[in-house]
Amino acid sequence: MAIEFTPWPEDLAHLYRQKGYWQDRPLSTILQQQSQARPEAIAIICNERHLSYAELDALSSRLAQALLARGIEQHDTALVQLPNCAEFYILFFALLKIGVAPVNALFNHQRHELVEYARQLQPSLFIAATSHALFRDGQFVTQLRRQHASLSTVLLLQDEPASPHSWDFATHGAEDFWTCLTATPVGDPEGAKAESLLTPSAAGQVAFFQLSGGSTGTPKLIPRTHNDYLYSVRRSAEICRLSSDTRFLCALPVGHNFALSSPGALGVFHAGGTLVLAANPEPLSCFHLIAKHRVNMTALVPPAVSLWLKLAETHGAQLVSLELLQVGGANFSPALATQVQAKLGCKLQQVFGMAEGLVNYTRLDDPESLVINTQGKPMCDDDELRILDEAGNEVAPGEVGTLFTRGPYTIRGYYLSEQHNSAAFDPQGYYCTGDLVRMTPQGYLCVVGRGKDQINRGGEKIAAEEIEALLVQHKGVRHAALIPIADALMGEKSCAFIVSATTQPKGPELRKFLRTLGVADYKIPDRFEFVDTLPLTAVGKIDKRKLKQLTQTGANAARI
Ligand code: AMP
Ligand code: DBH
């Protein structure tokens, strides 16, 4: 049975097809087109490995066949957690080719997040890497298999060369990724026939799931269809003028929407360019890769830009090939934005996007004032935007309000979340972004704040409710409230206000407690404040505005 998602209404779906946004082709055509047009061109550089388009295509088909041979079927789902490496794309295309929809967990996610995604997805396939602490032994794999009868195939990617963390996969019902892939013969007489057996899901159906930063207790999965995602990739590649000459450094997590589609790796593949992989945005190694591979474009979150600007003072000569830097994911200050051209020697493009859909870009020939002071304008003429006040009325032009949006690549609902969807989407299908924005007379957006209960820690989003719910599981915690606090490098960090139950637990103990629950590191509060009571609003909700004021004024929290 096809994977469930909330469809667009018929009339709009018709319009999106008529206007050519939706082309009814699967996402895997991105790769197949390039493998025919320029088989020898290099698609991916990953450490010392260079993969051509033909090789990427062949490897993904081989893996697809190996998965079919193991009983994986169209409309199954997969839970994937891989670091930045070529295998991520081999796998992504393999799954697309057989109509299996993955969710790509971030590499810094831990047990808590993976267990939750598995609970929602009920995957038949799980793929991870032994370089992640959770897979140094077989315990977690065994736990997942026990919890999910649906989980039939587990593949593990080992470090090259032989992993120092290898354990006996077979006793835990797992297989080595490359053994699985290479066990399938290539070029045999059956090859062509086998290739024809690969059937992606229908283009109007779910291709894969994105992750929402969210603001609720449980993280939400975002079903993206082939049609909507492929449009966002094509249009992004067009706006950013990608071509076969593009040499893009991917330093953000490979599965993140920005790094995958804005225009990201898929945009590069669509244009026939080359993707250079970095493990992370650490500047010393990224500068080296830029110089070595003549990289001309990359994408960063704001804290990484600060580090790059610093290193460029001494190592700027390594960046001569760099033409375009995209910055997005979190608030980027005009003070930093003005330094990009002068210190990194490249153009800046601001990107304000979301895994739910809508992406805004400043354009490459926009005047400097727009590039520095705004977060761009929507990529599509049929992106519909509403900026509403608290009563739900449109604000006057230029005034601040909450951004709502719908369009050809913005979802109509989270996966299996009927109740939450009725709050996150309005009756006309507009998604409530929770972002406070102002629109300039030219139609560009400035993100000025946030209404949603979330901390944006340098582009990594933390849903306050999720962490609060975990903190109160500690016997010493009666109430918990997580709020953002200003931080010079990260933009925001998190602060947990705690009302203790009997004995007062200390910060280190609560941090340790969250780690035992298997929570990703970036979600662990940077600061704890212990108070007697939490301030309440008139309707009896925790008054986070007041808590924020307290941290800003430096007032003694214990006085609340
Ligand atoms: P998510 O929904 O988890 O994909 O996160 C998307 C959110 O990140 C947006 O709704 C914004 O809150 C934030 N965001 C993304 N890009 C920017 C940006 N350029 N400036 C400010 N906030 C941003
Ligand atoms: O923060 C994001 O989610 C984001 C930022 C820039 C995004 O999803 C995108 C571009 O596509």
Side-chain angles (χ1 to χ4, degrees):
M1 223 175 42
I3 293 164
E4 267 185 56
F5 74 107
T6 314
W8 284 257
E10 284 295 327
D11 55 335
L12 282 175
H14 180 73
L15 177 82
Y16 298 155
R17 286 196 167 85
Q18 202 185 31
K19 294 217 172 175
Y21 306 145
W22 292 1
Q23 296 185 341
D24 287 314
R25 290 184 301 163
L27 269 177
S28 47
T29 48
I30 292 179
L31 177 57
Q32 280 151 341
Q33 273 177 352
Q34 296 303 342
S35 139
Q36 277 165 18
R38 43 175 66 76
E40 306 302 327
I42 297 304
I44 302 177
I45 299 178
C46 174
N47 298 324
E48 299 313 310
R49 285 183 296 170
H50 287 54
L51 280 188
S52 69
Y53 278 100
E55 285 167 331
L56 179 59
D57 195 19
L59 286 169
S60 63
S61 289
R62 249 174 114 177
L63 180 58
Q65 281 155 15
L67 295 174
L68 290 180
R70 278 156 184 74
I72 301 295
E73 293 177 347
Q74 195 184 48
H75 306 318
D76 279 357
T77 57
L79 176 55
V80 177
Q81 187 191 42
L82 290 177
N84 285 13
C85 60
E87 285 85 351
F88 173 86
Y89 303 101
I90 296 172
L91 175 66
F92 188 67
F93 283 112
L95 297 177
L96 289 173
K97 286 178 179 184
I98 55 175
V100 173
V103 62
N104 300 306
L106 298 177
F107 200 64
N108 57 11
H109 282 150
Q110 298 289 347
R111 185 164 43 85
H112 169 74
E113 288 80 20
L114 297 185
V115 163
E116 178 55 29
Y117 301 146
R119 186 189 66 79
Q120 293 189 38
L121 265 192
Q122 298 297 324
S124 51
L125 183 59
F126 177 63
I127 295 121
T130 56
S131 54
H132 191 289
L134 265 183
F135 306 101
R136 299 264 159 85
D137 60 39
Q139 268 188 35
F140 184 61
V141 166
T142 299
Q143 178 193 335
L144 271 186
R145 294 184 69 96
R146 211 178 293 131
Q147 283 170 344
H148 300 284
S150 62
L151 193 56
S152 64
T153 305
V154 176
L155 303 185
L156 285 157
L157 178 67
Q158 305 197 64
D159 300 339
E160 296 268 357
S163 165
H165 311 299
S166 49
W167 36 276
D168 182 13
F169 292 170
T171 57
H172 299 272
E175 281 180 86
D176 171 70
F177 178 93
W178 279 102
T179 311
C180 167
L181 195 157
T182 47
T184 312
V186 264
D188 66 316
E190 296 289 302
K193 195 174 127 220
E195 182 80 37
S196 71
L197 291 176
L198 303 180
T199 2
S201 50
Q205 298 290 330
V206 178
F208 77 110
F209 295 91
Q210 264 299 354
L211 293 173
S212 163
S215 54
T216 55
T218 46
K220 297 288 177 282
L221 300 180
I222 299 172
R224 300 291 306 249
T225 65
H226 296 270
N227 271 338
D228 87 75
Y229 212 67
L230 185 50
Y231 167 69
S232 79
V233 168
R234 289 196 325 265
R235 180 65 183 136
S236 297
E238 183 179 26
I239 288 172
C240 300
R241 299 188 191 151
L242 299 199
S243 73
S244 56
D245 294 329
T246 299
R247 301 176 71 79
F248 182 94
L249 182 78
C250 177
L252 296 176
V254 279
H256 192 280
N257 201 50
F258 190 8
L260 194 62
S261 70
S262 299
L266 295 184
V268 172
F269 298 150
H270 168 75
T274 299
L275 183 78
V276 178
L277 285 166
N280 58 54
E282 186 277 310
L284 208 58
S285 52
C286 284
F287 281 27
H288 174 72
L289 287 171
I290 290 172
K292 181 171 176 187
H293 298 297
R294 290 169 288 109
V295 164
N296 49 24
M297 176 175 177
T298 190
L300 292 176
V301 287
V305 182
S306 301
L307 303 179
W308 282 41
L309 286 168
K310 187 100 195 68
L311 190 72
E313 288 169 12
T314 48
H315 291 62
Q318 288 185 293
L319 304 182
V320 281
S321 57
L322 194 64
E323 292 165 13
L324 181 64
L325 170 67
Q326 301 181 287
V327 181
N331 182 46
F332 189 46
S333 75
L336 282 183
T338 42
Q339 297 178 41
V340 168
Q341 177 78 56
K343 294 201 177 157
L344 302 180
C346 62
K347 241 183 205 303
L348 167 69
Q349 177 181 53
Q350 293 214 41
V351 189
F352 163 41
M354 52 206 76
E356 287 81 356
L358 180 73
V359 184
N360 304 274
Y361 294 100
T362 58
R363 304 305 201 254
L364 299 194
D365 37 25
D366 275 344
E368 203 185 345
S369 63
L370 281 180
V371 176
I372 287 181
N373 297 304
T374 81
Q375 281 63 59
K377 65 176 176 180
M379 66 167 135
C380 178
D381 290 342
D382 284 287
D383 280 322
E384 298 177 81
L385 269 55
R386 281 182 180 164
I387 303 176
L388 306 181
D389 65 18
E390 279 178 16
N393 300 314
E394 298 238 8
V395 299
E399 294 297 315
V400 172
T402 301
L403 176 66
F404 285 70
T405 184
R406 62 178 195 184
Y409 61 99
T410 296
I411 55 158
R412 291 299 181 125
Y414 292 102
Y415 185 55
L416 305 180
S417 307
E418 209 174 317
Q419 203 181 351
H420 177 60
N421 285 342
S422 57
F425 296 83
D426 79 4
Q428 286 78 44
Y430 283 77
Y431 164 59
C432 175
T433 67
D435 293 312
L436 299 177
V437 302
R438 185 167 55 74
M439 190 180 272
T440 70
Q442 301 97 328
Y444 282 58
L445 296 174
C446 301
V447 185
V448 301
R450 197 173 330 118
K452 54 189 166 189
D453 199 6
Q454 186 186 72
I455 291 102
N456 189 335
R457 196 178 184 279
E460 290 185 308
K461 285 81 177 184
I462 306 165
E465 220 176 86
E466 184 184 13
I467 302 308
E468 291 160 1
L470 295 174
L471 281 168
V472 295
Q473 286 179 26
H474 188 284
K475 61 180 184 332
V477 176
R478 193 190 305 271
H479 302 294
L482 197 73
I483 60 156
I485 43 173
D487 180 81
L489 179 63
M490 303 302 280
E492 290 176 7
K493 281 189 171 179
S494 65
C495 174
F497 278 82
I498 305 286
V499 178
S500 0
T502 40
T503 52
Q504 181 169 312
K506 297 263 185 311
E509 183 184 334
L510 293 179
R511 285 201 179 93
K512 197 168 149 208
F513 175 70
L514 290 177
R515 286 209 176 88
T516 1
L517 293 181
V519 178
D521 236 42
Y522 69 90
K523 297 183 185 173
I524 294 186
D526 295 288
R527 195 166 119 190
F528 284 92
E529 293 282 354
F530 295 90
V531 291
D532 295 334
T533 53
L534 291 172
L536 298 180
T537 62
V539 289
K541 286 210 241 169
I542 293 171
D543 192 344
K544 291 202 168 176
R545 210 174 285 184
K546 201 170 237 167
L547 288 177
K548 283 176 205 164
Q549 281 167 6
L550 279 167
T551 57
Q552 280 159 10
T553 54
N556 179 1
R559 276 207 320 252
I560 302 168

PDB file of all heavy atoms in Angstrom, residues 81-83 107 128-137 156-159 163-167 169:
ATOM      1  N   GLN A  81      20.914   6.277   9.013  1.00  0.00           N
ATOM      2  CA  GLN A  81      21.755   7.252   9.705  1.00  0.00           C
ATOM      3  C   GLN A  81      23.190   7.074   9.227  1.00  0.00           C
ATOM      4  O   GLN A  81      23.895   6.168   9.657  1.00  0.00           O
ATOM      5  CB  GLN A  81      21.698   7.082  11.226  1.00  0.00           C
ATOM      6  CG  GLN A  81      22.441   8.227  11.902  1.00  0.00           C
ATOM      7  CD  GLN A  81      22.664   8.023  13.377  1.00  0.00           C
ATOM      8  OE1 GLN A  81      23.011   6.941  13.816  1.00  0.00           O
ATOM      9  NE2 GLN A  81      22.462   9.074  14.142  1.00  0.00           N
ATOM     10  N   LEU A  82      23.604   7.931   8.310  1.00  0.00           N
ATOM     11  CA  LEU A  82      24.962   7.839   7.776  1.00  0.00           C
ATOM     12  C   LEU A  82      25.658   9.184   7.932  1.00  0.00           C
ATOM     13  O   LEU A  82      25.007  10.234   7.916  1.00  0.00           O
ATOM     14  CB  LEU A  82      24.916   7.439   6.289  1.00  0.00           C
ATOM     15  CG  LEU A  82      24.478   6.001   5.974  1.00  0.00           C
ATOM     16  CD1 LEU A  82      24.417   5.766   4.473  1.00  0.00           C
ATOM     17  CD2 LEU A  82      25.416   4.981   6.628  1.00  0.00           C
ATOM     18  N   PRO A  83      26.981   9.157   8.065  1.00  0.00           N
ATOM     19  CA  PRO A  83      27.718  10.429   8.089  1.00  0.00           C
ATOM     20  C   PRO A  83      27.830  10.985   6.663  1.00  0.00           C
ATOM     21  O   PRO A  83      27.275  10.392   5.732  1.00  0.00           O
ATOM     22  CB  PRO A  83      29.092  10.002   8.611  1.00  0.00           C
ATOM     23  CG  PRO A  83      29.231   8.573   8.195  1.00  0.00           C
ATOM     24  CD  PRO A  83      27.844   7.995   8.184  1.00  0.00           C
ATOM     25  N   PHE A 107      23.477  12.625  11.779  1.00  0.00           N
ATOM     26  CA  PHE A 107      24.500  11.754  12.366  1.00  0.00           C
ATOM     27  C   PHE A 107      24.661  12.015  13.856  1.00  0.00           C
ATOM     28  O   PHE A 107      25.084  11.150  14.607  1.00  0.00           O
ATOM     29  CB  PHE A 107      25.839  11.909  11.638  1.00  0.00           C
ATOM     30  CG  PHE A 107      26.756  10.746  11.871  1.00  0.00           C
ATOM     31  CD1 PHE A 107      26.419   9.480  11.424  1.00  0.00           C
ATOM     32  CD2 PHE A 107      27.943  10.907  12.570  1.00  0.00           C
ATOM     33  CE1 PHE A 107      27.242   8.387  11.662  1.00  0.00           C
ATOM     34  CE2 PHE A 107      28.778   9.819  12.813  1.00  0.00           C
ATOM     35  CZ  PHE A 107      28.430   8.558  12.349  1.00  0.00           C
ATOM     36  N   ALA A 128      23.051   2.027   9.122  1.00  0.00           N
ATOM     37  CA  ALA A 128      23.805   2.942   9.980  1.00  0.00           C
ATOM     38  C   ALA A 128      25.296   2.682   9.798  1.00  0.00           C
ATOM     39  O   ALA A 128      25.694   1.847   8.984  1.00  0.00           O
ATOM     40  CB  ALA A 128      23.392   2.734  11.434  1.00  0.00           C
ATOM     41  N   ALA A 129      26.121   3.428  10.545  1.00  0.00           N
ATOM     42  CA  ALA A 129      27.573   3.324  10.394  1.00  0.00           C
ATOM     43  C   ALA A 129      28.225   2.986  11.733  1.00  0.00           C
ATOM     44  O   ALA A 129      27.835   3.526  12.769  1.00  0.00           O
ATOM     45  CB  ALA A 129      28.132   4.634   9.864  1.00  0.00           C
ATOM     46  N   THR A 130      29.259   2.140  11.687  1.00  0.00           N
ATOM     47  CA  THR A 130      29.919   1.744  12.937  1.00  0.00           C
ATOM     48  C   THR A 130      30.780   2.873  13.498  1.00  0.00           C
ATOM     49  O   THR A 130      31.274   2.771  14.617  1.00  0.00           O
ATOM     50  CB  THR A 130      30.796   0.488  12.747  1.00  0.00           C
ATOM     51  OG1 THR A 130      31.725   0.755  11.705  1.00  0.00           O
ATOM     52  CG2 THR A 130      29.970  -0.729  12.425  1.00  0.00           C
ATOM     53  N   SER A 131      30.956   3.956  12.741  1.00  0.00           N
ATOM     54  CA  SER A 131      31.705   5.094  13.288  1.00  0.00           C
ATOM     55  C   SER A 131      30.862   5.870  14.300  1.00  0.00           C
ATOM     56  O   SER A 131      31.373   6.721  15.015  1.00  0.00           O
ATOM     57  CB  SER A 131      32.175   6.019  12.155  1.00  0.00           C
ATOM     58  OG  SER A 131      31.082   6.401  11.356  1.00  0.00           O
ATOM     59  N   HIS A 132      29.571   5.580  14.377  1.00  0.00           N
ATOM     60  CA  HIS A 132      28.686   6.221  15.358  1.00  0.00           C
ATOM     61  C   HIS A 132      28.739   5.407  16.658  1.00  0.00           C
ATOM     62  O   HIS A 132      28.693   4.175  16.624  1.00  0.00           O
ATOM     63  CB  HIS A 132      27.257   6.243  14.810  1.00  0.00           C
ATOM     64  CG  HIS A 132      26.317   7.097  15.608  1.00  0.00           C
ATOM     65  ND1 HIS A 132      25.892   6.739  16.868  1.00  0.00           N
ATOM     66  CD2 HIS A 132      25.735   8.287  15.336  1.00  0.00           C
ATOM     67  CE1 HIS A 132      25.075   7.683  17.334  1.00  0.00           C
ATOM     68  NE2 HIS A 132      24.970   8.643  16.412  1.00  0.00           N
ATOM     69  N   ALA A 133      28.796   6.124  17.778  1.00  0.00           N
ATOM     70  CA  ALA A 133      28.971   5.459  19.082  1.00  0.00           C
ATOM     71  C   ALA A 133      27.909   4.379  19.348  1.00  0.00           C
ATOM     72  O   ALA A 133      28.187   3.376  20.001  1.00  0.00           O
ATOM     73  CB  ALA A 133      28.940   6.499  20.186  1.00  0.00           C
ATOM     74  N   LEU A 134      26.697   4.566  18.818  1.00  0.00           N
ATOM     75  CA  LEU A 134      25.613   3.603  19.066  1.00  0.00           C
ATOM     76  C   LEU A 134      25.865   2.243  18.424  1.00  0.00           C
ATOM     77  O   LEU A 134      25.222   1.259  18.774  1.00  0.00           O
ATOM     78  CB  LEU A 134      24.309   4.137  18.482  1.00  0.00           C
ATOM     79  CG  LEU A 134      23.353   4.900  19.368  1.00  0.00           C
ATOM     80  CD1 LEU A 134      22.110   5.267  18.574  1.00  0.00           C
ATOM     81  CD2 LEU A 134      22.963   4.082  20.603  1.00  0.00           C
ATOM     82  N   PHE A 135      26.788   2.227  17.442  1.00  0.00           N
ATOM     83  CA  PHE A 135      27.003   0.976  16.689  1.00  0.00           C
ATOM     84  C   PHE A 135      28.412   0.427  16.874  1.00  0.00           C
ATOM     85  O   PHE A 135      28.938  -0.271  16.031  1.00  0.00           O
ATOM     86  CB  PHE A 135      26.630   1.194  15.211  1.00  0.00           C
ATOM     87  CG  PHE A 135      25.238   1.729  15.082  1.00  0.00           C
ATOM     88  CD1 PHE A 135      25.023   3.081  14.843  1.00  0.00           C
ATOM     89  CD2 PHE A 135      24.145   0.911  15.302  1.00  0.00           C
ATOM     90  CE1 PHE A 135      23.732   3.593  14.801  1.00  0.00           C
ATOM     91  CE2 PHE A 135      22.855   1.412  15.272  1.00  0.00           C
ATOM     92  CZ  PHE A 135      22.649   2.760  15.017  1.00  0.00           C
ATOM     93  N   ARG A 136      29.004   0.782  18.032  1.00  0.00           N
ATOM     94  CA  ARG A 136      30.315   0.209  18.382  1.00  0.00           C
ATOM     95  C   ARG A 136      30.133  -1.253  18.773  1.00  0.00           C
ATOM     96  O   ARG A 136      31.058  -2.031  18.778  1.00  0.00           O
ATOM     97  CB  ARG A 136      30.928   0.973  19.566  1.00  0.00           C
ATOM     98  CG  ARG A 136      31.172   2.433  19.296  1.00  0.00           C
ATOM     99  CD  ARG A 136      32.621   2.665  18.872  1.00  0.00           C
ATOM    100  NE  ARG A 136      32.713   3.925  18.146  1.00  0.00           N
ATOM    101  CZ  ARG A 136      32.858   5.111  18.721  1.00  0.00           C
ATOM    102  NH1 ARG A 136      32.948   5.199  20.025  1.00  0.00           N
ATOM    103  NH2 ARG A 136      32.944   6.202  17.978  1.00  0.00           N
ATOM    104  N   ASP A 137      28.902  -1.594  19.180  1.00  0.00           N
ATOM    105  CA  ASP A 137      28.598  -3.011  19.424  1.00  0.00           C
ATOM    106  C   ASP A 137      27.178  -3.276  18.911  1.00  0.00           C
ATOM    107  O   ASP A 137      26.545  -2.374  18.350  1.00  0.00           O
ATOM    108  CB  ASP A 137      28.733  -3.372  20.922  1.00  0.00           C
ATOM    109  CG  ASP A 137      27.795  -2.557  21.802  1.00  0.00           C
ATOM    110  OD1 ASP A 137      26.650  -2.311  21.378  1.00  0.00           O
ATOM    111  OD2 ASP A 137      28.203  -2.166  22.912  1.00  0.00           O
ATOM    112  N   LEU A 156      25.267  -2.293   7.885  1.00  0.00           N
ATOM    113  CA  LEU A 156      26.169  -1.397   8.614  1.00  0.00           C
ATOM    114  C   LEU A 156      27.361  -1.038   7.751  1.00  0.00           C
ATOM    115  O   LEU A 156      27.990  -1.915   7.136  1.00  0.00           O
ATOM    116  CB  LEU A 156      26.619  -2.066   9.906  1.00  0.00           C
ATOM    117  CG  LEU A 156      25.487  -2.057  10.952  1.00  0.00           C
ATOM    118  CD1 LEU A 156      25.677  -3.145  11.974  1.00  0.00           C
ATOM    119  CD2 LEU A 156      25.370  -0.702  11.623  1.00  0.00           C
ATOM    120  N   LEU A 157      27.632   0.235   7.703  1.00  0.00           N
ATOM    121  CA  LEU A 157      28.773   0.735   6.947  1.00  0.00           C
ATOM    122  C   LEU A 157      29.958   0.800   7.902  1.00  0.00           C
ATOM    123  O   LEU A 157      29.863   1.419   8.961  1.00  0.00           O
ATOM    124  CB  LEU A 157      28.436   2.132   6.404  1.00  0.00           C
ATOM    125  CG  LEU A 157      29.538   2.814   5.621  1.00  0.00           C
ATOM    126  CD1 LEU A 157      29.803   2.073   4.318  1.00  0.00           C
ATOM    127  CD2 LEU A 157      29.150   4.271   5.335  1.00  0.00           C
ATOM    128  N   GLN A 158      31.055   0.162   7.501  1.00  0.00           N
ATOM    129  CA  GLN A 158      32.236   0.180   8.365  1.00  0.00           C
ATOM    130  C   GLN A 158      33.232   1.203   7.859  1.00  0.00           C
ATOM    131  O   GLN A 158      33.274   1.506   6.676  1.00  0.00           O
ATOM    132  CB  GLN A 158      32.889  -1.192   8.371  1.00  0.00           C
ATOM    133  CG  GLN A 158      31.914  -2.280   8.762  1.00  0.00           C
ATOM    134  CD  GLN A 158      32.646  -3.543   9.168  1.00  0.00           C
ATOM    135  OE1 GLN A 158      33.376  -3.565  10.141  1.00  0.00           O
ATOM    136  NE2 GLN A 158      32.445  -4.589   8.409  1.00  0.00           N
ATOM    137  N   ASP A 159      34.067   1.704   8.775  1.00  0.00           N
ATOM    138  CA  ASP A 159      35.107   2.656   8.384  1.00  0.00           C
ATOM    139  C   ASP A 159      36.065   1.985   7.404  1.00  0.00           C
ATOM    140  O   ASP A 159      36.228   0.779   7.423  1.00  0.00           O
ATOM    141  CB  ASP A 159      35.927   3.092   9.602  1.00  0.00           C
ATOM    142  CG  ASP A 159      35.051   3.752  10.645  1.00  0.00           C
ATOM    143  OD1 ASP A 159      33.964   4.208  10.279  1.00  0.00           O
ATOM    144  OD2 ASP A 159      35.474   3.798  11.811  1.00  0.00           O
ATOM    145  N   SER A 163      37.306  -1.537  10.191  1.00  0.00           N
ATOM    146  CA  SER A 163      36.875  -0.759  11.346  1.00  0.00           C
ATOM    147  C   SER A 163      37.489  -1.266  12.646  1.00  0.00           C
ATOM    148  O   SER A 163      37.566  -2.472  12.874  1.00  0.00           O
ATOM    149  CB  SER A 163      35.363  -0.858  11.431  1.00  0.00           C
ATOM    150  OG  SER A 163      34.941  -0.428  12.686  1.00  0.00           O
ATOM    151  N   PRO A 164      37.906  -0.330  13.507  1.00  0.00           N
ATOM    152  CA  PRO A 164      38.368  -0.794  14.817  1.00  0.00           C
ATOM    153  C   PRO A 164      37.188  -1.263  15.675  1.00  0.00           C
ATOM    154  O   PRO A 164      37.355  -1.845  16.720  1.00  0.00           O
ATOM    155  CB  PRO A 164      39.005   0.452  15.429  1.00  0.00           C
ATOM    156  CG  PRO A 164      38.357   1.607  14.732  1.00  0.00           C
ATOM    157  CD  PRO A 164      37.967   1.121  13.364  1.00  0.00           C
ATOM    158  N   HIS A 165      35.975  -0.962  15.219  1.00  0.00           N
ATOM    159  CA  HIS A 165      34.798  -1.286  16.028  1.00  0.00           C
ATOM    160  C   HIS A 165      34.025  -2.468  15.468  1.00  0.00           C
ATOM    161  O   HIS A 165      32.833  -2.583  15.667  1.00  0.00           O
ATOM    162  CB  HIS A 165      33.832  -0.097  16.068  1.00  0.00           C
ATOM    163  CG  HIS A 165      34.508   1.176  16.406  1.00  0.00           C
ATOM    164  ND1 HIS A 165      35.156   1.371  17.585  1.00  0.00           N
ATOM    165  CD2 HIS A 165      34.634   2.320  15.713  1.00  0.00           C
ATOM    166  CE1 HIS A 165      35.656   2.584  17.611  1.00  0.00           C
ATOM    167  NE2 HIS A 165      35.363   3.180  16.483  1.00  0.00           N
ATOM    168  N   SER A 166      34.695  -3.344  14.689  1.00  0.00           N
ATOM    169  CA  SER A 166      33.876  -4.392  14.092  1.00  0.00           C
ATOM    170  C   SER A 166      33.460  -5.405  15.164  1.00  0.00           C
ATOM    171  O   SER A 166      34.219  -5.735  16.064  1.00  0.00           O
ATOM    172  CB  SER A 166      34.589  -5.053  12.926  1.00  0.00           C
ATOM    173  OG  SER A 166      35.869  -5.400  13.327  1.00  0.00           O
ATOM    174  N   TRP A 167      32.240  -5.828  15.067  1.00  0.00           N
ATOM    175  CA  TRP A 167      31.704  -6.847  15.965  1.00  0.00           C
ATOM    176  C   TRP A 167      30.993  -7.858  15.083  1.00  0.00           C
ATOM    177  O   TRP A 167      30.861  -7.630  13.868  1.00  0.00           O
ATOM    178  CB  TRP A 167      30.758  -6.221  17.001  1.00  0.00           C
ATOM    179  CG  TRP A 167      29.909  -5.074  16.484  1.00  0.00           C
ATOM    180  CD1 TRP A 167      30.292  -3.768  16.401  1.00  0.00           C
ATOM    181  CD2 TRP A 167      28.576  -5.139  15.987  1.00  0.00           C
ATOM    182  NE1 TRP A 167      29.277  -3.005  15.885  1.00  0.00           N
ATOM    183  CE2 TRP A 167      28.201  -3.823  15.630  1.00  0.00           C
ATOM    184  CE3 TRP A 167      27.652  -6.168  15.820  1.00  0.00           C
ATOM    185  CZ2 TRP A 167      26.949  -3.503  15.095  1.00  0.00           C
ATOM    186  CZ3 TRP A 167      26.403  -5.855  15.296  1.00  0.00           C
ATOM    187  CH2 TRP A 167      26.067  -4.536  14.943  1.00  0.00           C
ATOM    188  N   PHE A 169      28.491  -9.039  13.195  1.00  0.00           N
ATOM    189  CA  PHE A 169      27.202  -8.565  12.678  1.00  0.00           C
ATOM    190  C   PHE A 169      26.157  -9.690  12.649  1.00  0.00           C
ATOM    191  O   PHE A 169      25.002  -9.485  13.009  1.00  0.00           O
ATOM    192  CB  PHE A 169      27.349  -8.005  11.262  1.00  0.00           C
ATOM    193  CG  PHE A 169      28.135  -6.720  11.183  1.00  0.00           C
ATOM    194  CD1 PHE A 169      28.533  -6.210   9.949  1.00  0.00           C
ATOM    195  CD2 PHE A 169      28.467  -6.005  12.331  1.00  0.00           C
ATOM    196  CE1 PHE A 169      29.240  -5.022   9.862  1.00  0.00           C
ATOM    197  CE2 PHE A 169      29.184  -4.827  12.262  1.00  0.00           C
ATOM    198  CZ  PHE A 169      29.562  -4.334  11.024  1.00  0.00           C
TER     199      PHE A 169
END
